[in-house]
Amino acid sequence: MPVKKLGEGFLLSFSHFIKKDFGLVLTNTIKWVLISLVLGSIIGSASALFLVSLNWATNYREQHLWIIAFLPLAGLLIGLAYYYWGTAVVKGNNLLIEELQSPKKIIPLIMAPLIYAGTIITHLFGGSAGREGTAVQIGGAFADQLTKIFKLKPRDRKIILICGISAGFASVFGTPLAGAVFGLEVFVVGSVMYGAILPSFITAVIADYACKAWGVGHTHYAIANVPEMNAINLFLSLGAGILFGLTARLFSAMNHGISKIFSKVNYPPLRPLIGGFILIALIYLIGNTRYIGLGIPVISAAFTQQEPYYTFAIKLFLTALTLGAGFKGGEVTPLFFIGATLGSFISLFIPLPYSLLAGMGFVAVFAGAANTPLACIFMGVELFGTSSGIYIALACVVAYLFSGHTGIYKSQAIGAPKHLLLKRHQFLK
C-alpha cells in the first residue's frame, strides 16, 4: 500500500513538526517580535530627533550663510571629539560591519552621540554629507546595548546588530523594505543572511512607524513618465546602468583616495580643519550653496528638469572631500544627488524620460557604491512605485556589477565574486 505508507509518513512528519519544530519557531518568533518592538521604537524615535535636528541645521545655515566661514573650526571640533573620546568608534559603519563578520566586543554607546553631534555640526557649517551613516551607527550602537540587557547569545548578537542597522536605515529614509534588506545584505558582498530576515523586517517596519508617529515626514519623489519596456529600452537601461556603476566606482575610489591623502597628517584633528579651509574656498569659487548639505532641492529638481553635466561631478568631489577629510555624516543622500542629477543629464543622449533616468540613477549609483543591489531595488519600488520597477532593477544590477569589488565600506567581505572574471582580472577589482 504505497499510498497508505505515504500518508502515514506525512502524518508522522507533520506530527513531529507540531510537537517540536512549531514550538521552537513560535517561541523564537515571539522573542524577536518583543525585541523588535523595543528596538524599533527606540531607533525610530532617535531617527525622528536626528531628522528634526538636521532640518533645523539646514534651515539655519541657509538663512545665515556667514556661518560657513567657520567650517574649519567645526571640523577641528569634530576631530578633537573623536580623537579624545571616539577612537574606539572612529571607523563608523565599517566597525559595525567588522563586528557582524567577526564579533569581538560590544559597540561603545558613545558612537551614537558622537556621530549625531558630528553630523549636525557638519551640516550646520556647510559640509557636503548625508544621513544614512548617522542613522545606521545610532541604530547599531543602541541595538548592541540590548545584547547585555537581554543576555543574548553570540549568534543572536549578529541578528540584533542587523536589526539595528535595518531600523536606522528604514526610519531615516522611510523605506522599511529597503532598510530590512540593506541590513541583511550590506556586510558581505554577494551574500544575504536569511537567518535574520524575520527580526530585520519587523524591526525596520516598527522603526519606520515610530519615526512617522513623531510627525516626521520624508521627501517624496515622482517619476512622471515610464515608457513601455521593449528591446531598445532594455539596452538603453543597460547602458545607463553601466554609467551609474562607473560613477559609483569613481566616488568610492575618490573617497578612499582623499582619505588616504589626509591620513598623512599625523594629528587627526587637523585633517577636518584643513579640509574645512579647502571646502570654504571651493564653495566661494562655486558661488552658491546648492552643492553642500543634503542637496534635497537639487535632487527634486532633477526629476522635473534636465541638469547640466557638471552638477553631479561637483557634488561627487565635494562629498568625497568632506568625508575624506574627517567630517561626519553618510554617503547615501549625496549618492542619491549624484545619481539623480547624472541620470537627468544623460537623458541628453539616452532617449529615456529624464525623470525615469533620474530615478534609476538615484538608486543605482547607491547600489554600486554600497554593493547592495537588492536593497536598492526595494527602495526604488518603495519610492517610485512598481511601474518603474523593471528599469530600476536593471539599473541597480548592472551598476552593482560594473562598480567592481570596490565600495564605500572598506570592511565589506567578498562572499562571492560579482562575476567569474573578477577573480582573474585585477583591474576589475
Side-chain angles (χ1 to χ4, degrees):
M1 291 288 184
V3 175
K4 184 178 180 181
K5 289 184 179 180
L6 183 63
E8 290 175 350
F10 172 77
L11 290 174
L12 184 64
S13 176
F14 184 73
S15 175
H16 175 79
F17 171 74
I18 293 296
K19 289 180 180 179
K20 185 177 180 181
D21 296 346
F22 179 79
L24 291 174
V25 173
L26 181 61
T27 302
N28 185 67
T29 300
I30 293 172
K31 178 183 80 171
W32 283 110
V33 167
L34 294 175
I35 292 175
S36 297
L37 279 169
V38 174
L39 188 58
S41 299
I42 293 172
I43 296 174
S45 298
S47 290
L49 173 62
F50 170 60
L51 289 173
V52 169
S53 303
L54 193 56
N55 187 53
W56 169 84
T58 300
N59 291 335
Y60 187 89
R61 185 194 67 235
E62 291 303 303
Q63 294 169 12
H64 306 84
L65 293 179
W66 54 265
I67 202 172
I68 298 174
F70 294 93
L71 183 59
L73 293 179
L76 179 62
L77 178 62
I78 294 170
L80 288 170
Y82 271 85
Y83 185 71
Y84 287 105
W85 300 307
T87 53
V89 297
V90 73
K91 289 183 178 180
N93 288 352
N94 287 301
L95 176 61
L96 297 177
I97 293 173
E98 288 173 7
E99 284 297 321
L100 278 167
Q101 295 169 353
S102 180
K104 294 176 182 176
K105 58 182 180 180
I106 300 297
I107 303 291
L109 184 58
I110 197 171
M111 171 182 273
L114 277 179
I115 190 61
Y116 168 82
T119 303
I120 298 302
I121 291 172
T122 295
H123 282 273
L124 178 62
F125 290 91
S128 175
R131 51 193 173 180
E132 147 273 340
T134 306
V136 165
Q137 289 176 52
I138 290 174
F142 279 145
D144 215 11
Q145 308 313 306
L146 297 186
T147 300
K148 296 182 292 185
I149 295 173
F150 293 134
K151 298 180 180 179
L152 298 177
K153 296 178 180 179
R155 67 172 182 269
D156 287 339
R157 182 173 175 240
K158 282 189 175 184
I159 295 176
I160 205 166
L161 274 173
I162 289 173
C163 289
I165 292 171
S166 300
F169 191 99
S171 55
V172 84
F173 291 122
T175 54
L177 296 180
V181 177
F182 179 81
L184 298 169
E185 188 180 23
V186 70
F187 64 101
V188 178
V189 176
S191 178
V192 177
M193 186 174 175
Y194 284 105
I197 192 168
L198 176 66
S200 180
F201 270 86
I202 295 174
T203 312
V205 171
I206 292 171
D208 177 55
Y209 177 81
C211 183
K212 291 175 180 175
W214 286 103
V216 177
H218 302 279
T219 307
H220 296 282
Y221 308 95
I223 295 176
N225 181 19
V226 181
E228 184 178 349
M229 177 57 73
N230 54 40
I232 294 175
N233 289 344
L234 172 65
F235 284 103
L236 291 175
S237 299
L238 295 177
I242 292 173
L243 292 177
F244 296 142
L246 294 177
T247 302
R249 182 168 184 163
L250 174 62
F251 176 82
S252 299
M254 187 170 291
N255 192 7
H256 298 324
I258 292 176
S259 179
K260 188 174 182 179
I261 291 171
F262 275 96
S263 68
K264 297 182 184 299
V265 179
N266 292 328
Y267 187 56
L270 291 180
R271 297 168 190 170
L273 173 70
I274 297 169
F277 280 117
I278 299 173
L279 279 168
I280 59 173
L282 291 173
I283 295 169
Y284 176 78
L285 290 173
I286 293 169
N288 61 65
T289 60
R290 75 191 305 254
Y291 303 100
I292 64 176
L294 293 173
I296 299 297
V298 181
I299 297 175
S300 298
F303 286 84
T304 59
Q305 65 186 33
Q306 191 176 78
E307 287 291 326
Y309 68 92
Y310 53 80
T311 304
F312 84 92
I314 293 175
K315 184 64 174 179
L316 189 152
F317 181 73
L318 288 183
T319 304
L321 175 59
T322 299
L323 299 177
F327 286 91
K328 299 302 174 182
E331 298 92 346
V332 174
T333 305
L335 287 170
F336 293 162
F337 182 119
I338 293 164
T341 54
L342 173 61
S344 179
F345 161 64
I346 63 176
S347 66
L348 188 65
F349 51 87
I350 293 182
L352 288 173
Y354 51 72
S355 63
L356 175 60
L357 284 167
M360 292 164 64
F362 185 103
V363 288
V365 173
F366 172 36
N371 292 313
T372 54
L374 297 180
C376 293
I377 292 171
F378 277 104
M379 172 172 270
V381 172
E382 286 182 289
L383 292 176
F384 310 125
T386 56
S387 61
S388 59
I390 295 177
Y391 289 95
I392 294 293
L394 285 171
C396 288
V397 172
V398 174
Y400 166 74
L401 175 62
F402 276 84
S403 66
H405 282 159
T406 58
I408 53 178
Y409 307 124
K410 290 182 178 180
S411 296
Q412 276 182 324
I414 307 298
K418 296 181 182 181
H419 192 284
L420 291 177
L421 288 174
L422 295 176
K423 284 185 174 182
R424 299 197 296 268
H425 298 289
Q426 292 297 320
F427 68 90
L428 288 176
K429 292 185 179 180

